[in-house]
Amino acid sequence: MFGTYQVGAIHGRLITAWSMAAIVGPQLVDRISDAKKKAGVPPGETYNFTLYLMACLLLVGLVCNLLVRPVDKKYYVQPGDKS
């Protein structure tokens, strides 16, 4: 789904992804840091793994964005199409 014809669906998926990240992200960071503290990691180093994990997730997102290619012209919606 690309383009202005699908803007509603694109926006819905984007907002859903942001909402899930807002709910899951802080819980993930908290649980990882708690586990590191219980394992005896010094307090100044408890977030190191979390920051590396988030950096890796950003790189995965970058690669996914780089893999997106333009839509073939045969899928373009022509002016006047009602479908």
Side-chain angles (χ1 to χ4, degrees), residues 33-41 46:
S33 67
D34 283 346
K36 292 291 183 183
K37 288 175 189 175
K38 288 178 183 176
V41 175
T46 55

Side-chain angles (χ1 to χ4, degrees), residues 49-61:
F49 176 75
T50 305
L51 292 176
Y52 291 132
L53 176 65
M54 296 302 162
C56 289
L57 290 173
L58 282 171
L59 286 174
V60 168

Side-chain angles (χ1 to χ4, degrees), residues 42-80:
E45 298 176 11
T46 55
Y47 290 101
N48 287 354
F49 176 75
T50 305
L51 292 176
Y52 291 132
L53 176 65
M54 296 302 162
C56 289
L57 290 173
L58 282 171
L59 286 174
V60 168
L62 174 67
V63 169
C64 289
N65 281 328
L66 293 175
L67 291 175
V68 173
R69 297 288 173 236
V71 176
D72 194 317
K73 289 194 184 255
K74 69 181 178 182
Y75 297 111
Y76 284 12
V77 176
Q78 301 302 323

